[in-house]
């Protein structure tokens, strides 16, 4: 900022408070206030302060900061959202409803909260950031947000169709997986007791399925009743890909619990979709026993392809990961040791002199609780009588299972010329990107708690989380050089000898982890901590005490680190106040 004296023909020079800023690589100026009516000593004092010189006279009483709102994180998220064109996808025509949806998407990235808390954070008197002021939502309430949720729910299919056109092309790989989220209340028909994937047991939940690109970009999301099994969600996704998105050639990637034999036969193959999935342990065991998979081949290589009459028209890629084998062996040994320790306590109770444990049924009941807890019945031989109990390991079964440790088999309908064996393995392992999305839903974006009562609002709640993740996904990709994320994955993948081997981190990423500094010497951030740093860029509302002068807003000058973040995002920290 600076004080400029602008020639004014026939009148004394106009004294203007101006600010320089950079836009599209060009330096521009804007006028913040006209100070022509100020006394000369007051103008001189302000000019010296702006130049960093000690004032000859005090400005106390001349200017007043009436409000300071954290702004930098709002500019970063909202600017990225607009750069991605997401506002136009939500609704092509500008409207208050679109602005309210935009506010909910941005708020979930910077500060997840309930609709009541968000409405208060947007209102001018209780604002906690510049979001409400930038979007002109300073007078909204929670009912406005609920109506906006109904609006975005009606637009969900149109938004997903647009995202599919943007990210899904013919011949593309599409990842699909499901997760769950605990539900608050009992009124919504979607809430049901099911198998929890978010670690919350004994409560009503919903199930939601997410379609992503191979890189993990979310494209579409669907909510199901909480007791819906994973395979039961596949049919609607197949219909979505073939009919709504109209993709003529697509390969669906899903885990072994999702793309079961029945789902492939009844849903995927009739729709002429290709697929990549994996075999279950009993199926792998059968192939080994039949000699279709020769374990000795793993002595020379970690993957090879086979075909089998039970899987006509398919390719099977057998893999062995030594690290995974060691992990499974250690886990099995730990569970066996814990099982034996508990069973030894039961044996001691049977043999004790005072009040010994008696009765075959009573002993079996105690043993059953232990066996069910550790799931080791298949590896333990039990002998139970009315007054005796003993146990031992079934070494033959343990050895048979150990021989398959670390072995998994990927199955696909794709021809070799479409996708070679190593690429099939890499494509299946890309399902990890969907898991990262679910992790973001459950942590950074706080999909829980879900307190909405109607089915429509619950679906809108989950869809808004997907849109927020879409924004944060792209932000983290652009900001990767400043974050702990690996921003040189290509080098790491090139150094990787096989897709079966564990993923490697590049030297640049390892350097950031060890030194906690970037190559430029700046501190490395997590995405959350960088947003907090950007939030220290504040929009200050300045009110001159001279009643003839209007108030104006001054934005905090970014630090070099903050300036670097906005350069990587390709947006301006002055968004909303230009």
């Amino acid at each position: 900022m600076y004080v400029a004296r602008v020639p004014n023909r026939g009148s004394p020079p106009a004294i203007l408070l101006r600010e320089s800023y950079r836009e599209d690589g060009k330096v521009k100026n804007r006028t913040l206030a006209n100070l022509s009516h100020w006394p000369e000593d007051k103008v001189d004092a302000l000019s010296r302060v702006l130049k960093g010189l000690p004032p000859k006279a005090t400005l106390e009483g001349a200017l007043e900061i009436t409000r300071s709102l954290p702004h930098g994180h709002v500019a970063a998220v909202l600017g990225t959202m607009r750069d991605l064109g997401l506002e136009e996808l939500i609704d092509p025509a500008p409207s208050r409803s679109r602005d309210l949806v935009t506010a909910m998407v941005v708020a979930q990235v910077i500060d997840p909260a309930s609709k009541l808390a968000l409405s208060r954070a947007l209102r001018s008197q209780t604002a906690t950031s510049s979001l409400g002021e930038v979007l002109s939502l300073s007078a909204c309430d929670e009912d406005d947000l609920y109506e906006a949720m109904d609006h975005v729910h009606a637009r969900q299919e149109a938004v997903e169709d647009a995202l599919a056109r943007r990210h899904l092309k013919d011949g593309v790989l599409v990842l699909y997986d499901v997760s769950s989220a605990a539900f608050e209340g009992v009124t919504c028909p979607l809430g049901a007791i099911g198998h929890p994937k978010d670690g919350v047991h004994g409560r009503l939940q919903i199930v939601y399925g997410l379609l992503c690109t191979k890189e993990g970009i979310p494209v579409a999301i669907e909510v199901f009743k909480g007791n819906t099994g994973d395979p039961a969600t596949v049919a609607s996704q197949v219909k979505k890909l073939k009919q709504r998105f109209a993709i003529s050639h697509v390969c669906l990637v899903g885990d072994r619990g999702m793309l079961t034999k029945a789902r492939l036969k009844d849903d995927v193959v009739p729709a002429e979709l290709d697929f990549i999935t994996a075999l279950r342990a009993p199926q792998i065991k059968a192939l080994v026993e039949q000699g279709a998979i020769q374990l000795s081949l793993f002595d020379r290589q970690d993957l090879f392809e086979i075909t089998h009459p039970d899987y006509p028209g398919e390719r099977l890629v057998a893999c062995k990961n030594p690290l995974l084998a060691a992990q499974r062996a250690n886990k099995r040994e730990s569970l066996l040791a814990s099982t034996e320790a508990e069973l030894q306590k039961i044996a001691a109770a049977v043999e004790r002199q005072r009040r010994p444990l008696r009765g075959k049924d009573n002993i079996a009941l105690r043993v059953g609780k232990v066996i069910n807890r550790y799931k080791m019945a298949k590896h333990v031989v039990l002998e139970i009588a009315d007054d005796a109990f003993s146990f031992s390991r079934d070494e033959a079964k343990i050895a048979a299972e150990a021989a398959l440790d670390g072995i998994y088999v990927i199955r696909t309908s794709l021809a070799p010329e479409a996708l070679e064996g190593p690429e099939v393995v890499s494509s299946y392992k890309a399902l990890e990107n969907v898991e990262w999305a679910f992790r973001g839903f459950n942590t950074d974006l706080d999909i829980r708690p879900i307190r909405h009562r109607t089915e429509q609002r619950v679906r809108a709640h989950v869809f808004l989380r997907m849109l927020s993740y879409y924004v944060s996904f792209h932000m983290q990709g652009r900001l990767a050089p400043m974050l702990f994320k690996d921003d040189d994955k290509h080098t790491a993948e090139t150094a990787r000898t096989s897709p079966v081997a564990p993923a490697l981190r590049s030297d640049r990423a390892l350097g950031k982890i060890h030194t906690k500094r970037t190559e430029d010497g700046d501190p490395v951030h997590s995405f959350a901590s960088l947003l907090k740093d950007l939030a220290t860029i504040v929009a200050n509302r300045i009110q001159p005490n001279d009643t003839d002068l209007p108030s104006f807003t001054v934005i905090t000058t970014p630090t070099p680190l903050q300036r670097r973040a906005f350069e990587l995002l390709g947006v301006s920290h002055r968004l909303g106040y230009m």
Side-chain angles (χ1 to χ4, degrees), residues 240-266:
K240 190 179 302 180
L241 289 168
K242 293 296 290 186
Q243 297 183 15
R244 269 185 48 199
F245 298 164
I247 306 175
S248 60
H249 183 202
V250 63
C251 179
L252 186 61
V253 185
D255 65 29
R256 69 199 74 191
M258 179 77 62
L259 299 184
T260 61
K261 180 179 180 180
R263 297 284 64 78
L264 293 175
K265 177 183 177 182
D266 297 339

Side-chain angles (χ1 to χ4, degrees), residues 136-381:
S136 301
L137 298 175
S138 300
C140 76
D141 59 24
E142 59 271 23
D143 290 332
D144 295 325
L145 295 175
Y146 291 137
E147 291 178 5
M149 291 180 69
D150 297 337
H151 177 77
V152 77
H153 176 264
R155 290 282 305 163
Q156 179 172 348
E157 287 195 5
V159 175
E160 292 177 344
D161 292 349
L163 291 176
R165 288 192 297 271
R166 178 182 293 184
H167 298 292
L168 302 182
K169 309 297 181 184
D170 282 344
V172 75
L173 291 171
V174 180
L175 312 180
Y176 178 66
D177 206 350
V178 301
S179 187
S180 66
F183 188 85
E184 307 294 327
V186 295
T187 58
C188 180
L190 290 172
I193 297 293
H195 178 68
K197 297 178 181 291
D198 60 353
V200 181
H201 295 267
R203 287 168 55 187
L204 297 181
Q205 67 173 26
I206 58 167
V207 169
Y208 58 96
L210 183 65
L211 283 172
C212 292
T213 68
K214 185 179 179 180
E215 296 76 24
I217 302 173
V219 173
I221 198 165
E222 186 170 350
V223 178
F224 304 92
K225 195 168 182 178
N227 57 2
T228 305
D230 294 4
T233 68
V234 173
S236 63
Q237 309 310 307
V238 172
K239 182 178 179 181
K240 190 179 302 180
L241 289 168
K242 293 296 290 186
Q243 297 183 15
R244 269 185 48 199
F245 298 164
I247 306 175
S248 60
H249 183 202
V250 63
C251 179
L252 186 61
V253 185
D255 65 29
R256 69 199 74 191
M258 179 77 62
L259 299 184
T260 61
K261 180 179 180 180
R263 297 284 64 78
L264 293 175
K265 177 183 177 182
D266 297 339
D267 299 324
V268 178
V269 174
E272 298 181 344
L273 266 68
D274 283 310
F275 62 86
I276 298 176
T277 185
L279 298 184
R280 292 177 176 272
Q283 295 171 310
I284 297 175
K285 182 180 179 181
L287 291 175
V288 172
E289 292 176 347
Q290 295 169 15
I293 296 179
Q294 299 180 28
L295 299 181
S296 60
L297 293 177
F298 289 122
D299 295 337
R300 301 187 299 274
Q301 54 198 34
D302 58 5
L303 71 85
F304 55 86
E305 288 192 36
I306 63 170
T307 57
H308 194 272
D310 290 346
Y311 306 94
E314 297 181 22
R315 298 156 57 206
L316 303 179
V317 185
C319 311
K320 182 170 184 178
N321 185 337
L323 180 61
L324 179 61
Q327 291 175 345
R328 289 182 176 175
N330 291 336
K331 182 178 181 179
R332 180 173 52 251
E333 181 58 34
S334 177
L335 290 173
L336 279 170
S338 298
T339 302
E340 289 174 329
E342 294 299 318
L343 292 179
Q344 188 58 49
K345 294 177 183 178
I346 299 174
V350 173
E351 296 174 359
R352 66 191 175 202
Q353 295 296 319
R354 184 180 179 184
R355 299 178 64 184
L357 179 62
R358 288 291 183 265
K360 189 173 184 178
D361 291 343
N362 292 333
I363 297 173
L365 183 62
R366 291 272 298 272
V367 170
K369 290 181 180 179
V370 174
I371 294 298
N372 291 335
R373 184 191 310 171
Y374 297 108
K375 312 297 183 185
M376 287 288 106
K378 57 185 176 181
H379 295 322
V380 179
V381 178

Side-chain angles (χ1 to χ4, degrees), residues 482-532:
M482 304 181 68
L483 306 178
F484 283 103
K485 290 176 66 70
D486 195 339
D487 58 318
D488 190 20
K489 288 186 176 181
H490 177 72
T491 301
E493 286 300 316
T494 302
R496 194 176 180 185
T497 58
S498 168
V500 179
L504 300 176
R505 305 206 71 173
S506 67
D507 292 339
R508 187 185 304 171
L510 293 174
K512 290 194 292 186
I513 293 172
H514 294 151
T515 65
K516 307 299 185 292
R517 295 277 173 177
T518 67
E519 291 183 332
D520 297 330
D522 294 324
V524 184
H525 279 275
S526 68
F527 182 58
S529 68
L530 183 56
L531 286 181
K532 289 182 179 179

